[in-house]
Amino acid sequence: MLFSTRTFYEHYIKSLIQTNIDYITTKQKVVPEANAAYLLEGEAIAVFGGKVDFMDCVLGLGTTQQVTHKQMEKLEDFYHSCNGVPAVEVTPFADPTLLEVIQERGYAMTETEQVWGLNMEKWMDTETDTASVAPVPVRRMGEYIESFQKGFGLEGEGLQSAKEYVTTIFHAPHHHPLAIEQNGKYATTGLFQTMDDIAFLSSTSTKPKSRGKGFQTTMLQARLRMAKEAGSQVAIIESVAGSASARNIERARFQVLYTKMKWDKK
């Protein structure tokens, strides 16, 4: 499978949309008070996980088709009906009309992230682990939430967002929460997901006091082994450019597929 090509991107977006459907339908069951919802609009999906959910965004818009103001009105009406803020993901593969339309409608760029990929057919396990990575049972979900919150330095609404997110991924299909323990407590957390022939590696966090011990690299390598065992052809992970996570990802021989931007309605 070729990286950084439209063919792969279209395949990837379809898998990504399905993972988001799994996430929202699960959240509707386990966190009903969040009023999570999604809307399929042509080849795209509008995701609303709740007032404090960080995953709220339109994905896949403009993948193979031009974008119109009529489409955007429908998507914005969806977010307004959920009392949410319209947001759209823009990638280099999107039709130019997407950026034109959202700029005309008063959107502003608020975030950028790099999307990395690794061809699992060429991957070789050469790392030596510094700790043990294990699945997290539901009975220890509270400990996982606490470690996740501290690792990402969350506060305010972020604490509730993390609680809802973690509660959901513990029950969603194809989602596997993992952790590394230090002195009997979770020090590093991570998530492994599969959809079709793609493995998604996400939600990696390490508590401040446990950093510098190689736990992030160990968590990454453990999930790559899982991807290999699952028969995944590609592993995908995201990061902020220039971050410590990005450097760890690059050392693991991932390559940047593209940079994505999130645009919010002002």
mmCIF file of all heavy atoms in Angstrom, residues 82-106:
data_model
loop_
_atom_site.group_PDB
_atom_site.id
_atom_site.type_symbol
_atom_site.label_atom_id
_atom_site.label_comp_id
_atom_site.label_asym_id
_atom_site.label_seq_id
_atom_site.Cartn_x
_atom_site.Cartn_y
_atom_site.Cartn_z
ATOM 1 N N CYS A 82 -27.063 20.503 18.183
ATOM 2 C CA CYS A 82 -26.424 19.810 19.319
ATOM 3 C C CYS A 82 -25.836 20.793 20.332
ATOM 4 O O CYS A 82 -25.197 20.375 21.308
ATOM 5 C CB CYS A 82 -25.293 18.909 18.805
ATOM 6 S SG CYS A 82 -25.799 17.577 17.716
ATOM 7 N N ASN A 83 -26.043 22.092 20.081
ATOM 8 C CA ASN A 83 -25.424 23.135 20.902
ATOM 9 C C ASN A 83 -23.907 23.041 20.868
ATOM 10 O O ASN A 83 -23.222 23.282 21.875
ATOM 11 C CB ASN A 83 -25.924 23.047 22.355
ATOM 12 C CG ASN A 83 -27.390 23.396 22.477
ATOM 13 O OD1 ASN A 83 -27.879 24.333 21.853
ATOM 14 N ND2 ASN A 83 -28.120 22.612 23.265
ATOM 15 N N GLY A 84 -23.381 22.681 19.694
ATOM 16 C CA GLY A 84 -21.946 22.563 19.525
ATOM 17 C C GLY A 84 -21.406 23.647 18.593
ATOM 18 O O GLY A 84 -22.159 24.441 18.039
ATOM 19 N N VAL A 85 -20.082 23.665 18.439
ATOM 20 C CA VAL A 85 -19.410 24.634 17.572
ATOM 21 C C VAL A 85 -18.958 23.916 16.302
ATOM 22 O O VAL A 85 -18.220 22.931 16.381
ATOM 23 C CB VAL A 85 -18.179 25.254 18.277
ATOM 24 C CG1 VAL A 85 -17.449 26.199 17.337
ATOM 25 C CG2 VAL A 85 -18.607 25.980 19.543
ATOM 26 N N PRO A 86 -19.377 24.379 15.120
ATOM 27 C CA PRO A 86 -18.953 23.737 13.873
ATOM 28 C C PRO A 86 -17.434 23.771 13.718
ATOM 29 O O PRO A 86 -16.799 24.808 13.942
ATOM 30 C CB PRO A 86 -19.634 24.581 12.788
ATOM 31 C CG PRO A 86 -20.803 25.216 13.477
ATOM 32 C CD PRO A 86 -20.328 25.489 14.869
ATOM 33 N N ALA A 87 -16.858 22.635 13.354
ATOM 34 C CA ALA A 87 -15.417 22.536 13.120
ATOM 35 C C ALA A 87 -15.185 21.574 11.959
ATOM 36 O O ALA A 87 -15.908 20.589 11.805
ATOM 37 C CB ALA A 87 -14.699 22.045 14.375
ATOM 38 N N VAL A 88 -14.175 21.860 11.169
ATOM 39 C CA VAL A 88 -13.904 21.069 9.969
ATOM 40 C C VAL A 88 -12.418 20.739 9.884
ATOM 41 O O VAL A 88 -11.563 21.600 10.142
ATOM 42 C CB VAL A 88 -14.316 21.839 8.688
ATOM 43 C CG1 VAL A 88 -14.023 21.013 7.437
ATOM 44 C CG2 VAL A 88 -15.785 22.214 8.735
ATOM 45 N N GLU A 89 -12.120 19.495 9.513
ATOM 46 C CA GLU A 89 -10.731 19.098 9.285
ATOM 47 C C GLU A 89 -10.385 19.320 7.815
ATOM 48 O O GLU A 89 -11.120 18.908 6.930
ATOM 49 C CB GLU A 89 -10.537 17.624 9.645
ATOM 50 C CG GLU A 89 -9.108 17.135 9.460
ATOM 51 C CD GLU A 89 -8.922 15.692 9.863
ATOM 52 O OE1 GLU A 89 -8.870 15.420 11.085
ATOM 53 O OE2 GLU A 89 -8.855 14.821 8.972
ATOM 54 N N VAL A 90 -9.250 19.973 7.580
ATOM 55 C CA VAL A 90 -8.782 20.252 6.226
ATOM 56 C C VAL A 90 -7.426 19.574 6.027
ATOM 57 O O VAL A 90 -6.536 19.707 6.865
ATOM 58 C CB VAL A 90 -8.645 21.766 5.970
ATOM 59 C CG1 VAL A 90 -8.138 22.030 4.550
ATOM 60 C CG2 VAL A 90 -9.979 22.470 6.195
ATOM 61 N N THR A 91 -7.279 18.839 4.935
ATOM 62 C CA THR A 91 -6.019 18.173 4.616
ATOM 63 C C THR A 91 -5.573 18.564 3.210
ATOM 64 O O THR A 91 -6.361 19.107 2.424
ATOM 65 C CB THR A 91 -6.166 16.634 4.671
ATOM 66 O OG1 THR A 91 -6.829 16.188 3.470
ATOM 67 C CG2 THR A 91 -6.967 16.199 5.900
ATOM 68 N N PRO A 92 -4.311 18.292 2.860
ATOM 69 C CA PRO A 92 -3.836 18.622 1.506
ATOM 70 C C PRO A 92 -4.575 17.859 0.406
ATOM 71 O O PRO A 92 -4.496 18.244 -0.769
ATOM 72 C CB PRO A 92 -2.355 18.209 1.550
ATOM 73 C CG PRO A 92 -1.993 18.234 2.994
ATOM 74 C CD PRO A 92 -3.216 17.781 3.707
ATOM 75 N N PHE A 93 -5.266 16.782 0.772
ATOM 76 C CA PHE A 93 -5.967 15.983 -0.221
ATOM 77 C C PHE A 93 -7.392 16.489 -0.479
ATOM 78 O O PHE A 93 -8.062 16.012 -1.394
ATOM 79 C CB PHE A 93 -6.034 14.520 0.231
ATOM 80 C CG PHE A 93 -4.683 13.861 0.313
ATOM 81 C CD1 PHE A 93 -4.034 13.727 1.536
ATOM 82 C CD2 PHE A 93 -4.058 13.386 -0.823
ATOM 83 C CE1 PHE A 93 -2.786 13.125 1.611
ATOM 84 C CE2 PHE A 93 -2.810 12.784 -0.764
ATOM 85 C CZ PHE A 93 -2.166 12.652 0.457
ATOM 86 N N ALA A 94 -7.864 17.410 0.337
ATOM 87 C CA ALA A 94 -9.231 17.917 0.180
ATOM 88 C C ALA A 94 -9.343 18.796 -1.062
ATOM 89 O O ALA A 94 -8.403 19.497 -1.432
ATOM 90 C CB ALA A 94 -9.635 18.705 1.420
ATOM 91 N N ASP A 95 -10.510 18.771 -1.672
ATOM 92 C CA ASP A 95 -10.761 19.631 -2.822
ATOM 93 C C ASP A 95 -10.589 21.098 -2.409
ATOM 94 O O ASP A 95 -10.988 21.488 -1.308
ATOM 95 C CB ASP A 95 -12.185 19.394 -3.346
ATOM 96 C CG ASP A 95 -12.437 20.080 -4.670
ATOM 97 O OD1 ASP A 95 -12.858 21.261 -4.659
ATOM 98 O OD2 ASP A 95 -12.199 19.448 -5.711
ATOM 99 N N PRO A 96 -9.986 21.924 -3.267
ATOM 100 C CA PRO A 96 -9.752 23.350 -2.931
ATOM 101 C C PRO A 96 -11.021 24.107 -2.534
ATOM 102 O O PRO A 96 -10.947 25.103 -1.799
ATOM 103 C CB PRO A 96 -9.152 23.918 -4.222
ATOM 104 C CG PRO A 96 -8.522 22.740 -4.895
ATOM 105 C CD PRO A 96 -9.414 21.579 -4.577
ATOM 106 N N THR A 97 -12.168 23.622 -2.990
ATOM 107 C CA THR A 97 -13.415 24.321 -2.650
ATOM 108 C C THR A 97 -13.714 24.263 -1.159
ATOM 109 O O THR A 97 -14.429 25.130 -0.638
ATOM 110 C CB THR A 97 -14.606 23.735 -3.427
ATOM 111 O OG1 THR A 97 -14.672 22.310 -3.195
ATOM 112 C CG2 THR A 97 -14.464 23.983 -4.917
ATOM 113 N N LEU A 98 -13.176 23.257 -0.451
ATOM 114 C CA LEU A 98 -13.428 23.158 0.988
ATOM 115 C C LEU A 98 -12.879 24.385 1.703
ATOM 116 O O LEU A 98 -13.580 25.038 2.483
ATOM 117 C CB LEU A 98 -12.793 21.890 1.568
ATOM 118 C CG LEU A 98 -12.820 21.772 3.102
ATOM 119 C CD1 LEU A 98 -14.250 21.830 3.639
ATOM 120 C CD2 LEU A 98 -12.128 20.493 3.553
ATOM 121 N N LEU A 99 -11.622 24.699 1.442
ATOM 122 C CA LEU A 99 -10.998 25.844 2.103
ATOM 123 C C LEU A 99 -11.669 27.149 1.679
ATOM 124 O O LEU A 99 -11.873 28.047 2.505
ATOM 125 C CB LEU A 99 -9.508 25.880 1.777
ATOM 126 C CG LEU A 99 -8.613 26.731 2.696
ATOM 127 C CD1 LEU A 99 -8.805 26.345 4.156
ATOM 128 C CD2 LEU A 99 -7.159 26.579 2.293
ATOM 129 N N GLU A 100 -12.022 27.238 0.421
ATOM 130 C CA GLU A 100 -12.681 28.444 -0.069
ATOM 131 C C GLU A 100 -14.010 28.689 0.649
ATOM 132 O O GLU A 100 -14.302 29.799 1.101
ATOM 133 C CB GLU A 100 -12.929 28.325 -1.581
ATOM 134 C CG GLU A 100 -11.656 28.310 -2.414
ATOM 135 C CD GLU A 100 -11.935 27.976 -3.871
ATOM 136 O OE1 GLU A 100 -13.131 27.862 -4.233
ATOM 137 O OE2 GLU A 100 -10.972 27.817 -4.647
ATOM 138 N N VAL A 101 -14.804 27.616 0.778
ATOM 139 C CA VAL A 101 -16.137 27.737 1.373
ATOM 140 C C VAL A 101 -16.054 28.084 2.855
ATOM 141 O O VAL A 101 -16.755 28.980 3.340
ATOM 142 C CB VAL A 101 -16.959 26.453 1.157
ATOM 143 C CG1 VAL A 101 -18.232 26.466 2.005
ATOM 144 C CG2 VAL A 101 -17.321 26.304 -0.320
ATOM 145 N N ILE A 102 -15.201 27.380 3.607
ATOM 146 C CA ILE A 102 -15.169 27.635 5.050
ATOM 147 C C ILE A 102 -14.572 29.002 5.367
ATOM 148 O O ILE A 102 -14.963 29.648 6.341
ATOM 149 C CB ILE A 102 -14.426 26.521 5.828
ATOM 150 C CG1 ILE A 102 -12.962 26.416 5.412
ATOM 151 C CG2 ILE A 102 -15.146 25.191 5.648
ATOM 152 C CD1 ILE A 102 -12.175 25.412 6.256
ATOM 153 N N GLN A 103 -13.638 29.475 4.545
ATOM 154 C CA GLN A 103 -13.101 30.824 4.766
ATOM 155 C C GLN A 103 -14.176 31.875 4.505
ATOM 156 O O GLN A 103 -14.288 32.857 5.244
ATOM 157 C CB GLN A 103 -11.879 31.058 3.877
ATOM 158 C CG GLN A 103 -10.642 30.312 4.357
ATOM 159 C CD GLN A 103 -9.439 30.556 3.469
ATOM 160 O OE1 GLN A 103 -9.549 30.603 2.247
ATOM 161 N NE2 GLN A 103 -8.280 30.722 4.070
ATOM 162 N N GLU A 104 -14.961 31.656 3.468
ATOM 163 C CA GLU A 104 -16.046 32.585 3.170
ATOM 164 C C GLU A 104 -17.101 32.588 4.268
ATOM 165 O O GLU A 104 -17.781 33.596 4.482
ATOM 166 C CB GLU A 104 -16.690 32.213 1.831
ATOM 167 C CG GLU A 104 -15.809 32.504 0.628
ATOM 168 C CD GLU A 104 -16.429 32.024 -0.668
ATOM 169 O OE1 GLU A 104 -17.598 31.555 -0.646
ATOM 170 O OE2 GLU A 104 -15.756 32.098 -1.720
ATOM 171 N N ARG A 105 -17.205 31.461 4.993
ATOM 172 C CA ARG A 105 -18.219 31.341 6.049
ATOM 173 C C ARG A 105 -17.671 31.728 7.429
ATOM 174 O O ARG A 105 -18.341 31.527 8.443
ATOM 175 C CB ARG A 105 -18.787 29.921 6.082
ATOM 176 C CG ARG A 105 -19.451 29.520 4.762
ATOM 177 C CD ARG A 105 -20.062 28.134 4.835
ATOM 178 N NE ARG A 105 -21.248 28.109 5.698
ATOM 179 C CZ ARG A 105 -22.467 28.447 5.278
ATOM 180 N NH1 ARG A 105 -22.663 28.838 4.026
ATOM 181 N NH2 ARG A 105 -23.497 28.394 6.106
ATOM 182 N N GLY A 106 -16.472 32.285 7.463
ATOM 183 C CA GLY A 106 -15.953 32.818 8.714
ATOM 184 C C GLY A 106 -15.240 31.834 9.616
ATOM 185 O O GLY A 106 -15.136 32.065 10.825
#
